[in-house]
């Protein structure tokens, strides 16, 4: 189907993006919900936090790999329908986490439940790329991703508070309900909203999976974006994942307090989304990248040296703001990697991000169990601005 006619109202498009953002909320909650649960899971199964962190890697790896292959399906069937189905499947599979009886079983349940949630955000970004002109795309993308950011906040808060009062298993039951509500909302739009129908790129280009990835990897700029987002995921989430465990171990915070502190990351991210239009106009893409490098460095350094736990929520909010200054710029560029197969291109981009995250979490676990969290934060504080400078230089050359 071609693009919706001009008669399709802006209100209908806003409604379509809202429900896509609700799906991103569920995906974001699922992605970060285990961060505050790590100490609880480790205690329940008599395991170290480093060993329990396998549940994070077990989710991130299939999350990334599934995205690499899901895009071509969504390019054929339609991104909106693909996301609606993914939410429905996730609502069922996430319940397996609630009945796990060991760390390996929980890791397996997270592995099985990851593919459904995996396609939601990249397909949402590709959908925005289909229906929003490039000059407005960074702003709309940031606002769409506010759903994912709010989901991260909710996942971390619910993971801490609900887990503290009702046990970590109950958290996954709540998450299943959220996925079910998102699926129902998306289906309601599929039946009458013209903006949810499959849209063919103006050029009419149709590429298969292998051809699409060959085209991405043989072109210098798309290849650079794939490598950059892999490193971004490894550096940033290799540090962020262990903030909750560090606060519990170093300061003896309750799981509820830990969840609230870590959720400040999402507050910072939402603050970025609310100011993105002004920031883009004031600093441009290079300025956002370099600024994000400095801001994130300060956040991780604060976590490494903080003498009191009250600094942690501030540091997490700073991390959320700084991370999206850089990441949103990468995302916006990625939407133009391959317009004729945008779903596949964004799936490959997101896949690289989460594969990088899994590597970073695994390396961080090795450091954490041997030397504590401070060296983990220090490595991220040094590596992140280095990545930012590299990216800014490449953007400048374009």
């Amino acid at each position: 189907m071609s693009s919706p006619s001009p008669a399709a109202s802006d209100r209908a498009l806003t409604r379509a993006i809202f429900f896509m953002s609700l799906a991103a909320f569920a995906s974001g909650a699922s992605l970060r919900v285990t961060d505050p649960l790590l100490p609880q899971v480790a205690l329940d199964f008599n395991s170290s936090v480093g060993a329990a962190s396998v549940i994070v890697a077990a989710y991130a790896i299939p999350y990334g790999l599934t995205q690499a292959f899901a895009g071509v399906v969504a390019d054929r069937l339609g991104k909106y329908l693909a996301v609606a189905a993914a939410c429905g499947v996730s609502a069922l599979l996430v319940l397996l986490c609630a009945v796990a009886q060991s760390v390996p079983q929980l890791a397996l349940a997270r592995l099985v439940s990851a593919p459904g949630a995996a396609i939601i955000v990249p397909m949402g970004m590709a959908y925005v790329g289909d229906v929003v002109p490039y000059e407005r795309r960074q702003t709309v993308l940031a606002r769409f991703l506010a759903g994912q950011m709010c989901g991260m906040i909710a996942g971390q808060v619910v993971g801490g508070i609900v887990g503290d009062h009702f046990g970590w298993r109950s958290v996954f039951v709540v998450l299943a309900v959220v996925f079910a509500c998102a699926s129902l909302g998306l289906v309601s739009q599929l039946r009458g909203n013209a903006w949810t129908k499959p849209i063919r790129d103006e050029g009419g280009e149709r590429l298969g999976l292998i051809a699409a990835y060959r085209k991405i990897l043989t072109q210098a700029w798309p290849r650079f974006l794939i490598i950059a987002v892999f490193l971004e995921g490894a550096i940033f989430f290799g540090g962020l994942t262990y903030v909750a465990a560090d606060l519990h171990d170093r300061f003896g915070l309750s799981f509820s307090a830990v969840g609230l502190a870590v959720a400040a990351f999402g507050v910072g991210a939402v603050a970025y989304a609310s100011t993105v239009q002004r920031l883009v106009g004031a600093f441009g893409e290079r300025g956002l990248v370099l600024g994000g490098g400095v801001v994130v460095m300060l956040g991780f350094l604060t976590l490494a040296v903080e003498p009191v736990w009250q600094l942690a929520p501030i540091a997490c909010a700073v991390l959320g703001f700084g991370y999206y200054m850089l990441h949103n710029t990468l995302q916006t560029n990625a939407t133009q990697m391959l317009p004729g197969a945008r779903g596949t291109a964004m799936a490959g981009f997101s896949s690289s991000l989460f594969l990088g995250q899994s590597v970073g979490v695994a390396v961080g676990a090795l450091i954490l169990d041997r030397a504590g969290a401070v060296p983990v934060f220090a490595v991220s504080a040094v590596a992140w601005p280095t990545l930012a400078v590299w990216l800014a230089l490449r953007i400048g050359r374009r």
Side-chain angles (χ1 to χ4, degrees):
M1 176 178 291
S2 59
S3 299
S5 69
S9 69
D10 287 343
R11 183 177 300 177
L13 177 58
T14 299
R15 191 166 60 249
I17 293 177
F18 169 79
F19 283 107
M20 188 71 84
S21 187
L22 180 61
F25 175 95
S27 180
S30 179
L31 185 62
R32 300 256 59 91
V33 74
T34 54
D35 289 0
L37 294 182
L38 284 179
Q40 299 181 53
V41 170
L43 182 64
D44 194 20
F45 293 129
N46 194 28
S47 170
S48 71
V49 171
S53 70
V54 68
I55 67 175
V56 178
Y59 192 79
I61 292 173
Y63 196 101
L65 290 175
T66 300
Q67 290 173 337
F69 298 99
V72 69
V73 177
D75 281 334
R76 295 295 191 273
L77 299 181
K79 300 169 185 68
Y80 219 87
L81 175 60
V83 172
C87 285
V89 170
S90 295
L92 297 175
L93 294 181
V94 76
L95 291 174
L96 295 174
C97 300
V99 297
Q101 298 300 312
S102 66
V103 169
Q105 283 187 21
L106 181 55
L108 179 61
R110 287 285 283 172
L111 184 149
V112 170
S113 64
I119 74 166
I120 292 172
V121 172
M123 291 307 99
M125 292 189 295
Y127 174 75
V128 170
D130 282 346
V131 299
V132 178
Y134 187 83
E135 59 270 16
R136 294 178 50 218
R137 199 172 296 164
Q138 184 153 355
T139 299
V140 177
L141 273 175
R143 291 172 179 169
F144 157 71
L145 289 169
Q148 183 190 28
M149 300 167 195
C150 290
M152 290 179 180
I153 298 174
Q156 289 162 330
V157 171
V158 170
I161 296 177
V162 175
D164 218 8
H165 291 85
F166 302 102
W168 61 265
R169 298 176 190 278
S170 61
V171 174
F172 293 105
V173 176
V174 173
L175 187 58
V177 173
V178 175
F179 271 117
C181 291
S183 181
L184 291 174
L186 291 162
V187 169
S188 74
Q189 295 303 298
L190 280 167
R191 292 191 291 183
N193 191 329
W195 287 101
T196 67
K197 307 307 178 185
I199 297 170
R200 186 173 60 248
D201 183 75
E202 290 82 355
E205 187 178 17
R206 302 281 289 188
L207 295 174
L209 180 68
I210 296 175
Y213 279 116
R214 183 186 297 117
K215 195 166 184 178
I216 291 171
L217 295 176
T218 54
Q219 297 180 20
W221 181 243
R223 185 171 62 245
F224 166 75
L225 292 175
I226 294 294
I227 294 171
V229 80
F230 177 91
L231 295 174
E232 177 198 81
I235 294 167
F236 190 85
F237 291 102
L240 183 70
T241 297
Y242 298 107
V243 174
D246 179 61
L247 290 174
H248 179 71
D249 292 341
R250 202 193 318 184
F251 300 108
L253 293 186
S254 69
F255 298 128
S256 296
V258 165
L260 288 169
V262 176
F265 169 82
V267 175
V270 171
Y272 169 77
S274 67
T275 58
V276 59
Q277 190 167 7
R278 293 192 295 274
L279 290 172
V280 172
F283 300 107
E285 289 189 338
R286 291 184 68 194
L288 282 178
V289 168
L290 291 172
V294 173
V295 171
V296 168
M297 177 185 69
L298 293 175
F300 276 121
L301 286 177
T302 300
L303 290 172
V305 303
E306 58 188 354
V308 293
W309 70 266
Q310 286 85 352
L311 289 174
I314 299 173
C316 287
V318 167
L319 288 175
F321 194 93
Y323 172 74
Y324 279 96
M325 289 177 74
L326 189 150
H327 183 66
N328 189 228
T329 303
L330 270 179
Q331 284 177 328
T332 304
N333 278 272
T335 61
Q336 287 299 107
M337 286 194 300
L338 197 60
R342 190 174 276 118
T344 300
M346 293 309 300
F349 178 83
S350 292
S351 176
S352 185
L353 170 66
F354 288 102
L355 290 176
Q357 177 181 329
S358 66
V359 171
V361 169
V363 172
L366 294 175
I367 300 173
L368 181 77
D369 281 346
R370 288 163 176 76
V374 171
V376 178
F377 300 148
V379 169
S380 293
V382 172
W384 184 264
T386 304
L387 173 66
V389 170
W390 183 43
L391 177 58
L393 289 173
R394 291 297 299 267
I395 288 176
R397 285 202 291 268
R398 281 181 63 83

